[in-house]
């Protein structure tokens, strides 16, 4: 049958044929956009659980894990069935991270959570060093279709782009939580590493003793102990790689982001890379890049300016960021405008020095400590800044009047773990009761 449709006319036969696919595609797009918005509006500690819930209908799974190398304070997270989620480690994730291709989801089998299991792995390059999402599936689960994988990829790219923006902007509140959590994580790793290392070293000493006669048992146990020490060291190195950046590589990322700003400008940009390969904390690198960008934009507002030099130096336990121009030499703290430079530096215990020379230009120096500042430094800015991400999640629910059992159910952890977090919260906040902690939360929230 030949169907002729004139402008302004509608027929029963033409409407479904012409609009149904369009409507279906539109509804799917709107649903995906709504899901993405719902995920990124969550507090940082609840993004992975919410993303897992959103994706469960598309790709049924028992647990979800992420390895986000841009996240200084908590690069690895897992969520879901505790039989799976609590057994996933960065050692499981790293092979998938290294072999994944950004933008191309992969599904198959991998060794994860202590066994060979079916997984879906999604990698994105929306961040500078990439990010991986792994969904652990049930045995016998049907392969996910291409449309479902495309949605998973799009949502993961959206979420990691959101993370990257938060890191690049180095917001003071996020910096305070990042520094506190990174310090706690490093301390725990050091304590566990020292304890396990001492145990394995002692075991090796006994096994290598010639007073033991069973050579086969000695050989097997020695091999196990050596493997344990190697894995312990590898775990520490992986954590360092994710929580730190080499100073020269961090500066190279800054240079790549600054060159386009002056591509069509008569102002000449000179870059002084640090002559050090020393690693610096990732939150320090994020802050240094954000400050350098803001200072560059501020000095470009002067007239005339023909040359700007930006350099980094690692001096002792500080990273020095220097921005020097050949402008009129009238720049001051007030002239920097409504920036968050001072807040960022206060969180990390840094300072800003401005040295203007009328008629010759201005040198602005930001000094950022590489070590954790004393608690009052960031506590004065944010009383909750000493709390880690999970502790903030527990305190938020505690302040709403939830009891330990309810908190445990909401966060998918045990009641004993909740009690541990509550005790740590009271200690860090310097309060004596749950009520005082809740009152402090409401006072600053």
């Amino acid at each position: 049958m030949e169907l002729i449709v004139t402008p302004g006319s509608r027929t029963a036969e033409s409407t479904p044929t012409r609009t149904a696919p369009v409507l279906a595609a539109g509804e799917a797009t709107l649903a995906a956009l709504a899901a993405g918005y719902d995920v990124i509006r969550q507090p940082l500690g609840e993004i992975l659980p919410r993303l897992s819930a959103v994706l469960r209908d598309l790709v049924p799974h028992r647990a979800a894990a992420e390895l986000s190398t841009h996240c200084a304070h908590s690069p690895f997270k897992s969520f879901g069935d505790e039989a799976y989620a609590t057994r996933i480690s960065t050692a499981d994730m790293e092979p998938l991270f290294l072999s994944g291709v950004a933008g191309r989801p992969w599904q198959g089998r991998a060794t994860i959570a202590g066994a060979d299991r079916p997984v879906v792995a999604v990698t994105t390059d929306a961040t500078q060093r990439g990010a991986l999402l792994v969904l652990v599936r049930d045995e016998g689960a049907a392969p996910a279709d291409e449309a479902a994988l495309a949605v998973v990829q799009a949502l993961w790219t959206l979420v990691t782009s959101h993370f990257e923006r938060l890191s690049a902007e180095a917001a003071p509140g996020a910096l305070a939580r990042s520094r506190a959590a990174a310090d706690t994580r490093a301390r725990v790793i050091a304590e566990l590493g020292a304890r396990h290392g001492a145990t394995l070293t002692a075991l090796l000493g006994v096994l290598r003793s010639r007073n033991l006669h069973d050579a086969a048992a000695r050989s097997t146990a020695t091999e196990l102990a050596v493997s344990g020490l190697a894995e312990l060291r590898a775990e520490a190195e992986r954590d360092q790689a994710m929580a730190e950046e080499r100073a020269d590589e961090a500066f190279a990322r800054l240079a790549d982001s600054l060159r386009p700003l002056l591509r069509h400008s008569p102002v000449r940009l000179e870059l002084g890379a640090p002559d050090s390969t020393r690693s610096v904390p990732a939150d320090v690198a994020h802050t240094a890049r954000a400050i350098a960008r803001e200072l560059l934009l501020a000095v470009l507002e002067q007239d005339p300016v023909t040359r700007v030099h930006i350099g980094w130096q690692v001096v002792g336990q500080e990273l020095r960021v220097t921005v020097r121009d050949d402008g009129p030499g009238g720049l001051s703290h007030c002239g920097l405008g409504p920036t968050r430079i001072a807040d960022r530096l206060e969180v990390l215990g840094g300072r800003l020095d401005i040295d203007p020379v009328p008629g010759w230009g201005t040198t602005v120096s930001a000094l950022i400590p590489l070590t954790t500042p004393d608690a009052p430094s960031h506590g004065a800015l944010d009383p909750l800044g000493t709390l880690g991400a999970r502790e903030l999640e527990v305190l938020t629910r505690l302040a709403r009047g939830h009891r330990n059992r309810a908190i445990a159910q909401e966060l998918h952890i045990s009641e004993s773990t909740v009690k541990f977090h509550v005790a740590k919260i009271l200690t860090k906040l310097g309060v004596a009761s749950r009520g005082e902690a809740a009152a402090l939360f409401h006072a600053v929230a």
Side-chain angles (χ1 to χ4, degrees):
M1 177 181 70
E2 182 179 4
L3 183 65
I4 300 175
V5 182
T6 59
S9 68
R10 296 186 64 180
T11 70
E13 294 85 359
S14 67
T15 300
T17 303
R18 293 174 62 87
T19 63
V22 175
L23 287 174
E27 290 172 356
T29 301
L30 289 174
L33 289 173
Y37 171 72
D38 183 45
V39 171
I40 65 174
R41 66 192 290 267
Q42 303 295 323
L44 289 179
E46 297 181 14
I47 284 183
L48 181 62
R50 188 60 192 140
L51 180 62
S52 175
V54 166
L55 296 179
R56 193 166 289 121
D57 289 338
L58 286 171
V59 181
H61 55 276
R62 300 294 297 272
E66 69 169 274
L67 188 62
S68 304
T69 54
H70 62 279
C71 183
H73 69 277
S74 186
F76 169 73
K77 303 180 184 71
S78 62
F79 171 79
D81 188 332
E82 289 195 6
Y84 293 77
T86 58
R87 299 178 64 190
I88 303 173
S89 68
T90 54
D92 296 338
M93 302 281 284
E94 188 174 16
L96 293 170
F97 182 76
L98 295 176
S99 62
V101 178
R104 292 172 55 185
W106 175 86
Q107 54 183 329
R109 302 189 69 86
T111 301
I112 196 162
D116 181 62
R117 306 181 191 276
V119 301
V120 168
V122 186
T123 308
T124 177
D125 57 4
T127 66
Q128 291 176 342
R129 290 185 287 172
L132 169 70
L133 173 69
V134 173
L135 305 177
V136 184
R137 311 196 67 198
D138 277 322
E139 285 293 340
D145 59 44
E146 293 298 322
L149 292 178
V151 174
V152 175
Q153 179 70 65
L155 286 176
W156 182 234
T157 300
L158 175 66
V159 168
T160 53
S161 297
H162 173 63
F163 284 156
E164 182 69 6
R165 180 183 63 81
L166 292 178
S167 296
E169 290 182 355
L175 277 176
R177 289 190 294 271
S178 174
R179 174 51 68 93
D183 183 52
T184 300
R185 190 187 71 252
R187 185 168 60 253
V188 170
I189 288 176
E191 291 172 356
L192 290 175
R195 188 183 309 161
H196 293 168
T199 300
L200 291 171
T201 301
L203 176 61
L204 277 175
V206 173
L207 293 173
R208 286 171 174 163
S209 171
R210 296 184 180 276
N211 296 325
L212 296 179
H213 302 294
D214 192 335
R218 253 196 338 267
S219 175
T220 301
T222 299
E223 182 179 348
L224 290 173
V226 169
S227 298
L229 276 172
E231 178 57 32
L232 184 65
R233 290 168 184 153
E235 186 75 17
E237 290 171 359
R238 278 192 294 266
D239 182 80
Q240 182 180 21
M242 290 184 290
E244 298 181 354
E245 294 185 46
R246 273 181 34 171
D248 55 343
E249 294 176 352
F251 185 84
R253 295 188 180 98
L254 170 65
D256 290 341
S257 69
L258 294 183
R259 290 190 183 99
L261 298 178
L262 298 176
R263 183 172 296 159
H264 304 292
S265 170
V267 178
R268 186 170 79 253
L269 177 63
E270 298 176 353
L271 297 170
D275 56 356
S276 172
T277 59
R278 179 177 171 181
S279 292
V280 300
D283 51 9
V284 171
H286 292 320
T287 301
R289 284 192 289 262
I291 287 175
R293 285 192 294 268
E294 291 199 27
L295 289 176
L296 174 61
L297 295 176
V299 302
L300 289 177
E301 292 293 323
Q302 303 174 102
D303 187 32
V305 172
T306 62
R307 178 176 57 83
V308 178
H309 174 89
I310 296 179
W312 284 11
Q313 282 185 303
V314 180
V315 182
Q317 294 299 315
E318 288 185 326
L319 174 63
R320 180 187 297 269
V321 179
T322 303
V323 178
R324 184 172 63 251
D325 67 70
D326 63 351
L331 195 63
S332 64
H333 284 276
C334 294
L336 293 179
T339 67
R340 292 186 293 180
I341 293 176
D343 288 345
R344 290 187 177 105
L345 288 174
E346 184 176 356
V347 169
L348 299 182
R351 68 181 189 274
L352 189 70
D353 296 332
I354 301 180
D355 182 18
V357 180
W360 290 90
T362 304
T363 299
V364 183
S365 300
L367 290 91
I368 310 172
L370 300 180
T371 54
T372 306
D374 294 334
S377 174
H378 52 70
L381 178 67
D382 180 5
L384 307 182
T386 58
L387 302 183
R390 179 63 87 183
E391 290 165 344
L392 283 171
E393 293 174 349
V394 172
L395 178 58
T396 300
R397 288 160 175 79
L398 183 152
R400 295 173 185 163
H402 296 186
R403 308 309 300 171
N404 288 351
R405 178 173 296 181
I407 296 174
Q409 292 173 347
E410 292 176 16
L411 297 180
H412 303 279
I413 56 179
S414 66
E415 282 192 65
S416 60
T417 301
V418 174
K419 292 178 182 177
F420 171 78
H421 285 310
V422 170
K424 294 287 288 183
I425 289 168
L426 299 183
T427 300
K428 288 185 176 183
L429 296 183
V431 297
S433 68
R434 296 165 65 101
E436 290 182 23
L440 180 58
F441 175 86
H442 288 302
V444 300

